Amino acid sequence: MSILANKDTRVVIQGGQAGVNAARRMAEFCYLIKRPLNVEAFVYPPDAGKTNEIPYGSGLIAIPVYKSIAEATKHHPTLNTSLVYIGADRAMKGGMEALDDSHIKVVSMITEGVPEKDAKILGAHARKLGKVFNGPSSIGIISAGACRLGVIGGAFDNLVLSKLYREGSFGVITKSGGLSNEIIWICSQFADGITTAIGIGGDAYPGTDYVSYLEMFENDPQTKAVVIVGEMGGDLEERAAEWYGAKKRRVKLIAVVSGFCQESLPKGMKFGHAGAKEGMKGEGSARSKSDALKKSGALVPPTFGALGPAIKETYQDLLKSGQVKEPVEPATLPKLPKTVEEAMKADEVMVAPLIRTTISDDRGDEPCYDGYPASELINKGYEIPHVIGLLWDKRLISKQEAEIIKRIMMLSADHGPCVSGAYATILAACAGIGLSQSVAAGMIMIGPRFGGAVTDAGRFFKYAVDNKMSVDEFLAYMKKNHGPVPGIGHRVKSLRNPDKRVKELVGYVKSLKVKTPCLDFALEVEKITSVKKDNLILNVDGTMAAVLVDIGFPVDSLNGFFILSRTIGLIGHWVDQKRQDSRLIRLFDYLVNYAAPKRREVPPLK
Amino acid sequence: MAKVLEGPGMGLMKKWGINVPNYVVVTSVDELTKLGQANEWLKKSKLVAKAHEALGSRFKLGLVKVDLDFKAAEAATKEMIGRQVGSITVTQVIVSEMIPHKEEYYCAVKSTREGSEILVANCGGIEVESNWERVKRLCLEIGQSPSPESLEKLSKDAGFSGGLAKKMAEFAGKMFACFDSEDAQYLEVNPVVLRAGDDELVALDAVTLLDGDAKFRHPDWNFAFAAEFGRAYSKQEIEVMAVDSKIKGSVKFIEIPGGDTAMLPAGGGASVYYSDAVVARGGKLANYAEYSGDPPDWAVEVLTEKVCSLPGIKNIIVGGAIANFTDVKKTFGGIINGFRKAKSEGKLKNVKIWVRRGGPREKEGLDAMRALKDEGFDINVFDRNTPLTDIVDKALQAK
């Protein structure tokens, strides 16, 4: 048996994330004792109509969220207990709502910092209705082997270590949330564990005091002794002593009280929980409480450390008198399924990775590119071309190579509004399309006829150089197998109207006095082709391709240089149109050659 | 509980119709001089000047001056402002009129479990302390207001009669209204005096404790709460309070000068048992501290730095029960960072650290603490199998 919380307890949780966290802990306990989840509903108006997903074993249970207690109990008429996790300023309203619902018999408030007056009103209201209001600031209530309300009991491992999966013989009542677990643990190590443990909250005037719960424990035959952990301040411990001393009680009472340190502290200095305040006339001191409890016949160990042995002594007496028997431990207990991460850490599972990367890792405090931390690269003077080198070719390129890349990017960043890419972006911008989609529209244009020849140009020049082909051999090979040479030819530029970008780039690379076999070969090709036709010159794609192959970039990365550079221009065009608030554009009829058949009659449908 | 200084306390009483002496709170003599030009009573009445700070025994310190004319009040103000008492500098002086009177009485409202209690006595000042049996009480349930009849009966029970009984009943009624409406936890007026001339009851000196948790519904509480222990908060304490107000969970820190055992335990309940254990072992506490409710690691780090900076400490007790949901690894991470920082600043020399803890991720947290040994910390780490306060015994025996 147990008190307050048992196998029939069905819970509604009022509140948001804190309530969901509590429900997870409660689900762990339900899983341990092999019972269905005792949480049936949440009440949280902002999320009404949604569900909260609570892990149970290796699965998830969807728990509905309602806008009011009334709605929750209408859908779940077996609800009888509410846990309040609402903020201090709205806690009273929430608590009242729960108390006023005829289904709800127990309300436990976890919220801290609730005004004293509100707590008193809630407590008085519950007493009037014959219900239980526990808290505020309660860590929760747990009945071993039966029911957990709130996070009391701690993590799953602690539930097992503290033998909360089966009933013991000790009741526990504490003000302190942290100490509740400590006492539960002590009861499981020095005795046979607990029946029910209740956190009543550390406020000055908790809704329900020791006496009410002592009365319940007295009527619970399974509970043979009760441990109370008191604090200075108020008179709850004195009232407990009064109750215990009033007549012969079935349960044994073991009690400790904190706050003896006050006696040797500077006058007026107080600390601990809100309720831990000594009265004006010395009432409520640790000593007066401790003395009152001793006088009532309770076992009062001198220090907290002596509590374990005191519990042990009580348990031994109970064993000797035959009131309790040594507990039988279950042969096996459910183990909480581990998350994949936990299981991997424990070397219990192997997971085949979905993807593999060899270039970057941001699992630390900052991204590392090919192993180099980004901030260190910055601080040591590296620039964007070096990052490109690391991410595209997994190597730290030289200063000179970086300069070449920088120039390539500067030369290909934009080519005016009329080219396919920029025009597509502008068209999209004028249609009111967003930045990323408009830039993507321009990007889609990059292909065999616009900007997309860099990779192929590089591939074929490299093929010729690697195979030591002559220009003639190369041209013959291309004609036979592939067609026109990528990187050669321009729509408007020609020998007489050369592309200044090409001249600039070639001039710079040549001035460096490094070996440029691909570039040299491409220029030789140009000499032959431009004789055949004036505009079959080495274009900017071909030049970039040859130079980049010469400085060692892999062929497959080459189009990337154009894509990356031109993105700068495409973004510029989008921002430009946006800034001008450009209107929607469409083609004028005179820009279209309407070569479609003339208007004619539609024949009847056959 | 939050203590309120006299100025704002009297302001709240005045709001609920209780007669209080005229008063002004000033931060400089110039301010008082200007107020003197605007308020005739300052020139006409006999005055009292008091340092308006959370200081105990102000009278003994010469920070209360009575029976002053305006000039003398100016001189007293000048003398008090800027005076250094321990860690506190006097920044405000309250100047109020002296109320000529013959009789002194007592009235208070205090919070009880059931609701509240109104206390009335027909003696006041220090006399009431030695004649506590003359104090009569009226107990009220929460939500219940005292009827005029019940207040008059209380007044008569306390020995008031005739018109004065009625006046005292009214006074007590106003006190209750103030208590109930302002979320007070304790209101005490001692003495209540019968003003010569108009025979009105006036609150001469008041203690006002409000429920700090109710601040959210009192937008007119535009005053700061004062420390309750007869001294102002130190800079370090205020810094921890500032952190505390910003976070989920809590961190608390109070310095106790002269101690050598520093406290860094978890939990509002366990922390006091740890303090008790130190005192029981004959140790001297250097501070009170506590963190709870799964606070962020950086907040615990700030708290740790303050604890490590306490002068003359020999031991640090990093105690704690078995946590429910406070993540031991995370909060210990904050403590470890704080320790490292303190060590790099040359602190923690010859300081022994004692750790005991349980709770979520306790193994990882305790292992991380143990690893500090390799960094040269004098640290002793225990798990849940060592009873809660045994580390205090070990620390204080290790001398």
Side-chain angles (χ1 to χ4, degrees), chain A residues 360-368:
Chain A
S360 73
D361 188 342
D362 78 331
R363 287 172 299 175
D365 51 358
E366 66 169 323
C368 287

Side-chain angles (χ1 to χ4, degrees), chain A residues 5-229:
Chain A
N6 55 46
K7 287 179 174 161
D8 299 323
T9 300
R10 311 305 299 159
V11 184
V12 53
I13 293 179
Q14 296 172 263
Q17 193 51 49
V20 174
N21 293 342
R24 288 171 183 229
R25 294 288 197 195
M26 290 160 74
E28 287 180 5
F29 182 73
C30 292
Y31 180 77
L32 173 69
I33 61 169
K34 299 175 190 159
R35 295 194 50 87
L37 179 58
N38 57 357
V39 180
E40 288 193 359
F42 287 89
V43 170
Y44 191 57
D47 289 348
K50 297 180 185 166
T51 57
N52 288 328
E53 310 290 314
I54 307 301
Y56 179 90
S58 57
L60 285 171
I61 302 177
I63 305 294
V65 185
Y66 298 97
K67 71 172 194 305
S68 67
I69 289 281
E71 203 190 331
T73 55
K74 194 181 114 198
H75 287 90
H76 306 268
T78 54
L79 287 174
N80 54 20
T81 299
S82 176
L83 300 184
V84 184
Y85 283 86
I86 306 174
D89 55 341
R90 290 159 294 129
M92 179 162 90
K93 197 162 161 273
M96 280 299 200
E97 186 189 345
L99 284 172
D100 282 335
D101 190 288
S102 61
H103 299 80
I104 305 295
K105 307 291 183 231
V106 175
V107 177
S108 186
M109 185 173 280
I110 290 75
T111 314
E112 296 189 350
V114 174
E116 219 173 87
K117 189 175 167 183
D118 298 5
K120 286 185 199 175
I121 291 171
L122 285 162
H125 195 61
R127 280 191 291 277
K128 197 179 83 191
L129 297 171
K131 299 184 177 184
V132 172
F133 175 74
N134 186 61
S137 308
S138 165
I139 190 68
I141 299 167
I142 190 164
S143 293
C147 178
R148 178 188 202 178
L149 301 175
V151 300
I152 186 170
F156 189 84
D157 293 348
N158 190 62
L159 300 176
V160 176
L161 287 172
S162 301
K163 297 173 185 155
L164 285 163
Y165 45 80
R166 56 119 185 99
E167 244 183 357
S169 309
F170 286 72
V172 175
I173 317 171
T174 72
K175 285 182 177 172
S176 158
L179 288 175
S180 64
N181 259 4
E182 191 71 27
I183 305 296
I184 292 169
W185 159 252
I186 292 174
C187 287
S188 73
Q189 301 305 302
F190 290 89
D192 62 351
I194 66 151
T195 51
T196 299
I198 305 156
I200 63 171
D203 291 1
Y205 302 105
T208 308
D209 61 7
Y210 295 124
V211 173
S212 313
Y213 292 132
L214 282 169
E215 202 65 72
M216 290 184 206
F217 277 129
E218 177 78 1
N219 292 320
D220 172 39
Q222 178 67 31
T223 303
K224 304 294 191 292
V226 179
V227 184
I228 68 176
V229 181

Side-chain angles (χ1 to χ4, degrees), chain A residues 328-538:
Chain A
V328 185
E329 302 295 343
T332 57
L333 287 167
K335 284 207 168 77
L336 192 67
K338 288 182 173 142
T339 64
V340 173
E341 279 166 320
E342 285 164 352
M344 282 174 78
K345 219 174 180 178
D347 287 330
E348 287 173 2
V349 293
M350 202 194 80
V351 178
L354 187 61
I355 60 166
R356 176 171 183 263
T357 181
T358 66
I359 57 169
S360 73
D361 188 342
D362 78 331
R363 287 172 299 175
D365 51 358
E366 66 169 323
C368 287
Y369 306 140
D370 200 38
Y372 301 114
S375 65
E376 205 176 325
L377 289 167
I378 292 168
N379 293 329
K380 293 191 171 163
Y382 289 90
E383 293 181 35
I384 284 179
H386 296 98
V387 175
I388 295 172
L390 288 170
L391 293 178
W392 295 10
D393 198 21
K394 293 170 58 57
R395 64 187 171 103
L396 264 183
I397 59 174
S398 70
K399 221 172 180 173
Q400 197 172 66
E401 291 164 338
E403 181 62 26
I404 293 170
I405 289 173
K406 189 181 92 186
R407 286 173 184 237
I408 286 173
M409 290 184 64
M410 289 173 76
L411 289 172
S412 7
D414 196 48
H415 207 180
C418 301
V419 296
S420 312
Y423 181 58
T425 294
I426 290 170
L427 204 55
C430 291
I433 306 299
L435 174 61
S436 57
Q437 293 94 325
S438 296
V439 170
M443 210 61 90
I444 286 168
M445 299 300 130
I446 298 173
R449 296 184 181 176
F450 169 68
V454 191
T455 289
D456 278 349
R459 174 173 296 127
F460 293 126
F461 289 145
K462 187 170 187 300
Y463 180 77
V465 172
D466 288 352
N467 290 289
K468 302 195 169 62
M469 285 173 159
S470 68
V471 173
D472 287 344
E473 281 166 355
F474 174 65
L475 291 173
Y477 163 80
M478 290 302 290
K479 192 167 181 182
K480 188 176 166 213
N481 298 297
H482 299 286
V485 181
I488 295 288
H490 200 281
R491 182 86 187 263
V492 291
K493 303 285 178 189
S494 65
L495 258 189
R496 273 163 299 165
N497 173 25
D499 189 335
K500 187 128 191 258
R501 297 176 302 173
V502 172
K503 287 196 77 172
E504 170 69 35
L505 191 55
V506 172
Y508 175 69
V509 175
K510 282 283 163 203
S511 75
L512 296 176
K513 313 261 187 269
V514 291
K515 280 195 173 168
T516 53
C518 269
L519 182 59
D520 297 346
F521 183 78
L523 290 167
E524 289 304 312
V525 172
E526 183 189 40
K527 274 185 196 160
I528 306 290
T529 54
S530 62
V531 170
K532 288 179 186 167
K533 207 173 172 208
D534 193 35
N535 68 344
L536 288 182
I537 53 169
L538 180 62

Side-chain angles (χ1 to χ4, degrees), chain A residues 213-394:
Chain A
Y213 292 132
L214 282 169
E215 202 65 72
M216 290 184 206
F217 277 129
E218 177 78 1
N219 292 320
D220 172 39
Q222 178 67 31
T223 303
K224 304 294 191 292
V226 179
V227 184
I228 68 176
V229 181
E231 293 177 355
M232 69 196 144
D235 61 355
L236 300 190
E237 291 78 3
E238 284 88 339
R239 288 185 193 215
E242 204 176 298
W243 175 88
Y244 194 64
K247 63 176 192 186
K248 176 94 186 87
R249 301 292 177 181
R250 185 187 59 80
V251 290
K252 297 196 181 313
L253 184 62
I254 305 164
V256 280
V257 181
S258 71
F260 285 92
C261 58
Q262 295 284 276
E263 293 171 0
S264 54
L265 284 180
K267 196 170 172 270
M269 191 172 275
K270 301 154 188 177
F271 41 64
H273 287 130
K277 306 293 177 211
E278 200 176 303
M280 298 294 285
K281 303 271 163 253
E283 76 264 23
S285 71
R287 193 159 301 278
S288 83
K289 286 171 187 298
S290 175
D291 289 349
L293 284 160
K294 266 185 216 159
K295 223 173 118 190
S296 76
L299 183 56
V300 184
T303 61
F304 194 91
L307 189 56
I311 288 170
K312 187 171 184 176
E313 185 192 317
T314 306
Y315 179 59
Q316 294 301 336
D317 287 350
L318 290 167
L319 275 177
K320 246 181 256 160
S321 66
Q323 288 187 70
V324 299
K325 291 197 179 74
E326 291 275 10
V328 185
E329 302 295 343
T332 57
L333 287 167
K335 284 207 168 77
L336 192 67
K338 288 182 173 142
T339 64
V340 173
E341 279 166 320
E342 285 164 352
M344 282 174 78
K345 219 174 180 178
D347 287 330
E348 287 173 2
V349 293
M350 202 194 80
V351 178
L354 187 61
I355 60 166
R356 176 171 183 263
T357 181
T358 66
I359 57 169
S360 73
D361 188 342
D362 78 331
R363 287 172 299 175
D365 51 358
E366 66 169 323
C368 287
Y369 306 140
D370 200 38
Y372 301 114
S375 65
E376 205 176 325
L377 289 167
I378 292 168
N379 293 329
K380 293 191 171 163
Y382 289 90
E383 293 181 35
I384 284 179
H386 296 98
V387 175
I388 295 172
L390 288 170
L391 293 178
W392 295 10
D393 198 21
K394 293 170 58 57

Side-chain angles (χ1 to χ4, degrees), chain A residues 113 115-118 120 139 152-154 158 177 181-182 185 205-206 229-230 239 258-261 264 271 273, chain B residues 111-115 142 180 185 211 213 216-217 229 256 269 273 276 279 288 321-325 356 384-385 388:
Chain A
E116 219 173 87
K117 189 175 167 183
D118 298 5
K120 286 185 199 175
I139 190 68
I152 186 170
N158 190 62
N181 259 4
E182 191 71 27
W185 159 252
Y205 302 105
V229 181
R239 288 185 193 215
S258 71
F260 285 92
C261 58
S264 54
F271 41 64
H273 287 130
Chain B
S111 186
T112 63
R113 178 165 154 68
E114 287 70 27
I142 189 75
D180 192 46
Q185 289 172 325
D211 183 352
D213 285 334
F216 66 83
R217 59 182 170 217
F229 38 78
I256 307 170
Y273 279 102
D276 282 359
V279 171
Y288 170 76
I322 299 165
N324 289 286
F325 63 99
R356 188 273 183 188
R384 59 165 73 210
N385 292 304
L388 190 80

